[in-house]
Amino acid sequence: MLFASVSVAGICAEAQTLEQDAAAFGAREAVAAPDLSADGSTVLYLTPGPGAKTVAVTSNLVSGKSATIVSSDGNPESLGACHFVSPTRIVCNFGGLVENTTTGDLIGFNRLVALNTDGGDAKLLGRSESVWDSRLRQNDGYIIDWLDGTDNSVLMSRDYVAEQGKIGTNIVQKKDGLGVDRLDTLTVRGKPVESPRDGAGMYMSDGRGNVRLMAIVGARDSGMLTGRVKYFYRTPHSRDWKPLAESEDYDLQPLAIDAASNQLYMLKKKEGRDALYTVKLDGSLATSLVAENARVDIDDVVRFGGGQRVIGYTFAEEKRKTVYFDPEFRGLASSLSKALPHLPLVEFVDASPDGQKLLVFAGSDNDPGRYYLFDRTAKSLNEAMLARPGLEGRTLATVKPVTIPAADGASIPAYLTLPPGKEAKNLPAVVLPHGGPSARDEWGFDWLAQFLAARGYAVLQPQYRGSAGFGDAWLNENGYRNWRTSIGDITSSARWLSSQGIADPGKLAIVGWSYGGYAALQSAATEPSLYKAAVAIAPVTDLAQLKLDSRNFTNSRLRDRQIGSGPHVAEGSPIKNVTAIQAPVLLVHGDMDANVRYAHSQRMDSALRAAGKSSELLSLKGLDHHLDDGTARAQMLTRIGLLLDRTIGK
C-alpha cells in the first residue's frame, strides 16, 4: 500500500487585486522538463528567473539542497531542456530566434551544450561552423539515445554542412545532411554511426544504442517540402536499410521501437482516426492493431526504464487516460490513484535505470500539479516539488466537460470552468477557443482559464470542428479552409452559455491565443453584437499574408495547401472585416514571433483605428509566440482584466 501526506484542498483567501491575480497566474511553472539522476537521488529541471530568464537547477531529493548549473536570459537564446548523461555530466538544449537582416524573416536556431553538473567545462556538441558552409546550420541535431550513462556518451543525430567555394586546398568538408555519431560529451570526439544523408529528416534508436529507423523527407529541387516521407528500417544485427512505409501529409507517425519485442509502435489511420499499431522489424513487417478508440485518436505510447520499453498508450476523451499493457504498472497506477485520490492526472515522468525509483507527476483541474519520488523498494511516496508554488493555498476553479449542440446538430465537446464559490447563473462569461487550429484543450489545469475564473468569469473552451484529436471528420481539413464551420461552432458555444442561463447574454467576451486569437477577431466580425470585448493574443489576422510569411521557408507549399485559395481567404481574414467589428479589441503580440508575425497585430490595430474602432496593442519586446516571460504575462493579464472589468464586469 502507498502512503502520502497530501494537501490539495484550496484555502479560501481574501479577494485578490487584479495585479496580484495577474502576477500569480502569469508566473511560469516552477518545474519544467524534470530529469531523474541514475541513482534516483537528484532531479535536474528548469525553473524561471526574472522576466524571460530560465535557470537549470539540480535538487537533491534526500538533502533538499539545490544548485544552479546554467541559465539563459531569453535574448536571444532560451534553455529548452537538460538531461543527465552521467552523474556529473549533463546536456542542455538552447534555442532562439534571430532576424535575417536581408529578408526580415525570423530564423530559429538550436544548439546542444554539454557541461558538468557544477556548470564547468561547457562544450558545443554540434559540428563546427565554417565560413565556407554551403547553407545555414540552424540546428545542431538531437539526442536519439542517452545510452547507459556510464561513459558520458550519447547517440546524436548531427547536421553536417558541406563547404563550397573553398579553393587552394584539398581539405574540404563534403559531407552534407543528417547523420548519427556516438559522441563523447567530455571530449566531443565522435565515432560515425550513420553517414550523413541528404534528405534524412529523422533517425530512431531502439533504446539500446542501435539505429533502427530512418525517415527520408520528400522535397522538390527548390528545397520546398512535399509532405511525403519514406521510412526505412533495419533488422537486428544488419546494416542494410529496408523499406518500411510511405507517409503522405504525415499520416503515419513512428513513436517508439521496443528492442525486447523487436517491433515498432506507430500511429496510422483506421476509419479516420489515429490507431496504434506494431510492426515487426524482423523482415516480415507483420503488422498488428494494438489499440483504437471509436471517439478520439490514440496519441502516444508510454515508455519506461533502461532500454525504454513500451508499457502502455494514451488518449484523451473528456479526460486523459493511460492504458497499461504491463500488469505491474497497471497495479502501480491503481495504487497511486488510491494514494492520491484528488489528483487523477498521474504520469510516470522518469525512472532510475533499475526502475526502483520513479519520478511521478500528479495534478488535476484545480491543482496545477506536484512531483513525487516513489521508492518501490521502500514503498514510500514523498512529495518533492510543486509545479506552481505561487498558487498553493488558493481556491482554484473546477473544470467540467460539457457537450454543446451546434447549429447543424453536431455535438461540440467543451470544458466549462466556473468561478469558485459562484452559482452558474447569469455570470459574465468568456469564450476561450484554443490555438492550432489543429490542437485541442484537455481537462486539467489551464493558467489562462483559471485567471479568468479567479476574476469572476465563467469560461467556456469549445473543441470546435477543426480541433485535433477527434479524428479526420472533426478536423474538417482545418480551421482556415473551413473557418465558417469552426467559427460557427464557437458562436453556438457562446449562445449555449446564455441559453443555459449560465451567462448573462449582455456580458459575453471572447479571448484567444494564436488561432484562438484569430477566432476571437473573426467571431467579433461575424457576430458583432454577441461579444462586448475581444482579446487576441498573437493572432493571425490576414490569411493571404500568412501564406506570404512562409515564402522563404521550406514549408511554403504546405502552408499554401493548408490555407488554400479562393474567396474564403479574404472573407476569413479579420483585417478585411474590421468595419463589422463593434466590440473593443485588445491585441497582444511579441515582436519576435516566428509562428505568427508581429505585423499581423500591427496592421490589424492600424486598420481598426482607421475605421474608428476601439483598439489597443500591447507589444512585448523580444518575446516569441509563447510569451515565456512571467513579467510580460502578468502585464498581459492585467490589461485583459482591465478590459473585461470595463466591458462585461465581474
Side-chain angles (χ1 to χ4, degrees):
M1 183 176 179
L2 304 177
F3 296 91
S5 176
V6 183
S7 175
V8 297
I11 302 170
C12 291
E14 295 180 5
Q16 304 292 306
T17 66
L18 171 59
E19 290 74 17
Q20 288 172 324
D21 279 340
F25 289 98
R28 290 184 288 159
E29 284 187 312
V31 179
D35 186 60
L36 192 63
S37 63
D39 64 1
S41 68
T42 304
V43 177
L44 168 64
Y45 62 95
L46 304 183
T47 195
K53 186 174 182 178
T54 301
V55 184
V57 173
T58 54
S59 180
N60 189 290
L61 300 175
V62 178
S63 68
K65 293 182 179 179
S66 297
T68 296
I69 302 175
V70 67
S71 65
S72 64
D73 63 7
N75 184 29
E77 79 286 344
S78 295
L79 269 168
C82 296
H83 196 290
F84 281 108
V85 180
S86 73
T88 58
R89 194 77 171 158
I90 68 171
V91 170
C92 291
N93 180 310
F94 289 81
L97 295 161
V98 292
E99 184 177 357
N100 183 321
T101 55
T102 302
T103 65
D105 293 323
L106 294 174
I107 308 298
F109 68 88
N110 169 279
R111 297 292 179 260
L112 290 177
V113 179
L115 62 164
N116 293 336
T117 50
D118 63 3
D121 196 21
K123 289 186 170 71
L124 284 166
L125 298 185
R127 297 278 301 173
S128 298
E129 295 183 5
S130 164
V131 295
W132 305 104
D133 281 352
S134 59
R135 58 180 172 82
L136 180 68
R137 180 188 283 105
Q138 287 183 248
N139 301 311
D140 281 349
Y142 53 95
I143 308 300
I144 66 170
D145 198 322
W146 295 96
L147 304 177
D148 59 10
T150 60
D151 62 355
N152 294 303
S153 293
V154 294
L155 213 57
M156 178 176 170
S157 176
R158 300 172 90 191
D159 187 21
Y160 282 71
V161 179
E163 294 178 321
Q164 68 178 16
K166 195 175 183 181
I167 57 176
T169 178
N170 291 324
I171 305 174
V172 179
Q173 162 61 28
K174 297 181 180 180
K175 296 179 180 179
D176 196 81
L178 206 60
V180 178
D181 295 339
R182 184 184 176 103
L183 202 64
D184 185 321
T185 63
L186 277 171
T187 64
V188 199
R189 293 194 180 97
K191 177 183 177 182
V193 175
E194 297 295 331
S195 297
R197 291 172 180 258
D198 185 29
M202 179 271 285
Y203 295 93
M204 184 181 290
S205 88
D206 60 4
R208 297 182 180 178
N210 305 302
V211 181
R212 301 288 304 279
L213 187 73
M214 174 178 65
I216 301 296
V217 179
R220 298 179 180 272
D221 292 340
S222 62
M224 296 298 171
L225 300 177
T226 64
R228 187 175 296 110
V229 181
K230 293 182 179 180
Y231 293 99
F232 299 85
Y233 77 102
R234 282 195 178 118
T235 56
H237 314 300
S238 171
R239 294 290 301 168
D240 297 329
W241 287 112
K242 299 177 181 294
L244 174 73
E246 290 192 26
S247 170
E248 187 74 33
D249 291 330
Y250 309 103
D251 59 357
L252 185 153
Q253 301 175 55
L255 298 177
I257 296 171
D258 189 290
S261 59
N262 189 33
Q263 58 189 4
L264 168 71
Y265 284 83
M266 68 178 185
L267 298 176
K268 70 174 183 176
K269 297 296 180 184
K270 185 176 188 294
E271 298 177 357
R273 286 178 296 277
D274 286 338
L276 181 64
Y277 290 83
T278 56
V279 180
K280 285 290 186 181
L281 301 182
D282 57 3
S284 70
L285 294 184
T287 302
S288 300
L289 175 66
V290 176
E292 62 177 321
N293 186 291
R295 298 175 56 201
V296 298
D297 296 327
I298 307 298
D299 53 35
D300 208 350
V301 293
V302 182
R303 306 188 73 180
F304 174 79
Q308 290 289 290
R309 63 190 174 99
V310 176
I311 60 171
Y313 63 90
T314 62
F315 57 93
E317 294 176 325
E318 285 82 6
K319 298 180 181 180
R320 177 154 290 277
K321 296 182 180 179
T322 301
V323 177
Y324 292 98
F325 311 134
D326 189 296
E328 182 182 9
F329 274 88
R330 191 159 53 242
L332 181 57
S334 176
S335 296
L336 285 169
S337 295
K338 292 175 183 176
L340 305 169
H342 301 292
L343 300 171
L345 298 176
V346 176
E347 176 187 352
F348 298 111
V349 177
D350 202 3
S352 58
D354 62 5
Q356 292 307 301
K357 292 184 178 178
L358 308 179
L359 186 64
V360 178
F361 172 84
S364 72
D365 55 344
N366 61 353
D367 190 306
R370 43 201 79 218
Y371 292 88
Y372 297 87
L373 183 66
F374 175 52
D375 188 320
R376 298 171 73 185
T377 302
K379 291 185 170 57
S380 63
L381 182 68
N382 296 305
E383 185 174 300
M385 302 176 292
L386 298 175
R388 292 180 179 268
L391 295 177
E392 188 74 354
R394 278 179 174 254
T395 300
L396 300 178
T398 57
V399 181
K400 178 184 177 182
V402 295
T403 302
I404 297 166
D408 61 1
S411 296
I412 306 165
Y415 295 99
L416 177 64
T417 304
L418 295 174
K422 294 287 184 72
E423 184 182 359
K425 185 176 181 181
N426 290 327
L427 295 169
V430 175
V431 179
L432 184 62
H434 62 74
S438 300
R440 62 162 291 177
D441 295 306
E442 292 188 24
W443 185 88
F445 178 85
D446 182 316
W447 62 270
L448 183 51
Q450 287 286 344
F451 165 76
L452 295 168
R455 299 305 301 162
Y457 303 107
V459 183
L460 186 66
Q461 296 171 277
Q463 309 310 296
Y464 50 83
R465 276 169 284 188
S467 301
F470 300 94
D472 291 347
W474 196 258
L475 191 62
N476 198 29
E477 289 195 278
N478 62 69
Y480 291 125
R481 275 184 173 269
N482 290 311
W483 68 265
R484 293 184 191 279
T485 302
S486 300
I487 301 302
D489 285 354
I490 293 168
T491 299
S492 294
S493 300
R495 296 193 188 284
W496 177 86
L497 278 171
S498 300
S499 70
Q500 298 299 302
I502 298 168
D504 180 335
K507 293 186 175 182
L508 283 175
I510 185 166
V511 177
W513 198 319
S514 193
Y515 180 89
Y518 161 84
L521 295 172
Q522 190 66 0
S523 294
T526 57
E527 298 289 340
S529 63
L530 185 59
Y531 302 104
K532 304 306 178 188
V535 178
I537 307 163
V540 172
T541 64
D542 187 336
L543 298 186
Q545 184 61 47
L546 187 62
K547 292 166 67 173
L548 288 174
D549 292 343
S550 298
R551 62 188 178 276
N552 296 324
F553 294 87
T554 57
N555 69 337
S556 178
R557 290 178 61 86
L558 301 182
R559 177 70 82 185
D560 284 352
R561 191 188 307 170
Q562 178 193 31
I563 295 172
S565 300
H568 73 278
V569 174
E571 293 167 357
S573 295
I575 201 166
K576 304 296 185 182
N577 300 295
V578 292
T579 56
I581 295 176
Q582 296 178 9
V585 172
L586 171 62
L587 299 156
V588 182
H589 220 127
D591 68 358
M592 289 292 286
D593 190 335
N595 294 50
V596 181
R597 294 193 183 186
Y598 175 58
H600 280 262
S601 284
Q602 280 185 308
R603 293 175 58 225
M604 187 71 187
D605 180 57
S606 297
L608 285 165
R609 290 174 181 271
K613 308 297 181 177
S614 173
S615 178
E616 304 172 69
L617 172 58
L618 174 59
S619 301
L620 298 172
K621 186 173 178 57
L623 295 183
D624 64 13
H625 195 65
H626 306 288
L627 306 181
D628 286 328
D629 180 319
T631 302
R633 286 185 177 184
Q635 184 183 3
M636 174 184 75
L637 294 181
T638 299
R639 292 284 289 273
I640 292 173
L642 289 171
L643 175 64
L644 296 181
D645 287 353
R646 186 173 73 246
T647 53
I648 62 175
K650 289 201 298 180

